[in-house]
Amino acid sequence: MACDAAMSTMLSKPVLQCHINATFSTSARSPDPTRISLRSLKSSPYMLGSSSSAATFAPSSQICSFSCKQPAVGFMLGQGRKTPNLRVSAIIKEHTGSILGAENLRFVVVAGRFNEVITKPLVAGALETFKRFAVKDEHIDVIWVPGSFEIPMTAQTLAKTGRYHAVVCIGAVIKGATTHYDAVANSAASGVMSASLNSVPCIFGILTCENMEQAIDRAGGKVGNKGGEAALTAIEMASLLLHISADKRAII
């Protein structure tokens, strides 16, 4: 098959989808003129930087319609010339949180004692991160609860006091021989999310691991310290929500 000179690209939403229409000619030898593979597109002067599946070809109209749900970054035309697919208008405002200027923010860490061989290093990682980004010691509280199941209700209570800009939830749920793991992990995740909805950000720093080795790797081991990552997320989210509140009229 040979590809004719008609091809157009269209982005229906800012990021996710593109449609390509091309005109094709078929030969009598084609075993199935109703299908054309992406390889034919790639071998044509119009090359698509994607690995999606085949397109659909209508013999009567000789139009091939190809859909790509991946971000079409690097759509190629002609001899390797790149044409950007998405241009952000200067009118569009972008808002993001900052990890700088956190010295006046207040945080509380809610940690489960269960599996404390894991949760203590996670809390230490969170406190070290707060210190690195200039959060004052007097602006940090640490609350210990029995386990991960008790974290959400405690986080919600603390978040509603108005004393803190964010709550960091730290725990460790490690899979065992029963379904207890699933009940605790699911309840902890949904509970922390619910605690955030009508208050300040509650950051999910609860490990849910298949075994103790995975947990150790994430509590300062070879994968890093997820407690420190949770603290960094708390700083950014607290900053972002303060920015949104200050600029509420402009945003909404």
Side-chain angles (χ1 to χ4, degrees):
M1 293 185 180
C3 182
D4 248 350
M7 179 171 287
S8 61
T9 305
M10 176 178 61
L11 286 176
S12 59
K13 288 192 176 180
V15 179
L16 295 178
Q17 195 165 19
C18 68
H19 298 283
I20 301 164
N21 295 324
T23 305
F24 291 86
S25 60
T26 59
S27 67
R29 300 180 190 177
S30 176
D32 185 3
T34 64
R35 300 290 293 172
I36 181 167
S37 69
L38 183 61
R39 185 173 298 176
S40 300
L41 284 176
K42 286 185 175 180
S43 63
S44 75
Y46 304 93
M47 298 184 295
L48 178 66
S50 172
S51 58
S52 298
S53 59
T56 302
F57 178 70
S60 59
S61 62
Q62 293 190 332
I63 295 295
C64 171
S65 179
F66 174 82
S67 294
C68 168
K69 292 186 177 179
Q70 299 177 358
V73 178
F75 184 78
M76 306 291 290
L77 295 177
Q79 301 299 320
R81 290 177 293 141
K82 288 190 177 181
T83 302
N85 295 305
L86 180 63
R87 293 183 177 87
V88 179
S89 169
I91 301 174
I92 297 175
K93 287 186 176 181
E94 293 186 80
H95 301 271
T96 183
S98 173
I99 57 175
L100 304 177
E103 59 272 6
N104 294 320
L105 300 179
R106 297 186 63 94
F107 300 95
V108 59
V109 177
V110 182
R113 284 196 307 270
F114 195 77
N115 287 322
E116 66 179 5
V117 68
I118 301 298
T119 58
K120 282 187 174 180
L122 291 174
V123 171
L127 297 179
E128 181 183 351
T129 297
F130 283 139
K131 183 176 181 180
R132 190 185 316 136
F133 288 91
V135 179
K136 299 175 183 176
D137 288 347
E138 58 267 29
H139 289 174
I140 305 170
D141 293 327
V142 179
I143 309 294
W144 289 93
V145 298
S148 294
F149 191 82
E150 291 74 30
I151 289 175
M153 63 174 296
T154 309
Q156 180 174 279
T157 302
L158 292 166
K160 289 184 175 180
T161 63
R163 294 181 56 194
Y164 306 103
H165 293 94
V167 181
V168 179
C169 302
I170 287 179
V173 186
I174 300 172
K175 195 168 187 177
T178 69
T179 58
H180 182 73
Y181 164 88
D182 297 316
V184 175
N186 292 335
S187 297
S190 60
V192 170
M193 172 57 73
S194 297
S196 293
L197 296 180
N198 296 309
S199 57
V200 298
C202 295
I203 309 304
F204 189 77
I206 300 173
L207 299 184
T208 54
C209 301
E210 294 286 326
N211 50 57
M212 183 62 74
E213 182 182 359
Q214 290 180 356
I216 292 172
D217 287 342
R218 288 156 179 79
K222 60 184 179 183
V223 184
N225 192 305
K226 298 301 179 180
E229 292 180 15
L232 194 62
T233 301
I235 295 172
E236 182 175 349
M237 286 302 299
S239 169
L240 176 61
L241 292 196
L242 283 175
H243 173 65
I244 290 175
S245 298
D247 197 22
K248 187 174 182 180
R249 181 178 299 178
I251 295 175
I252 299 177

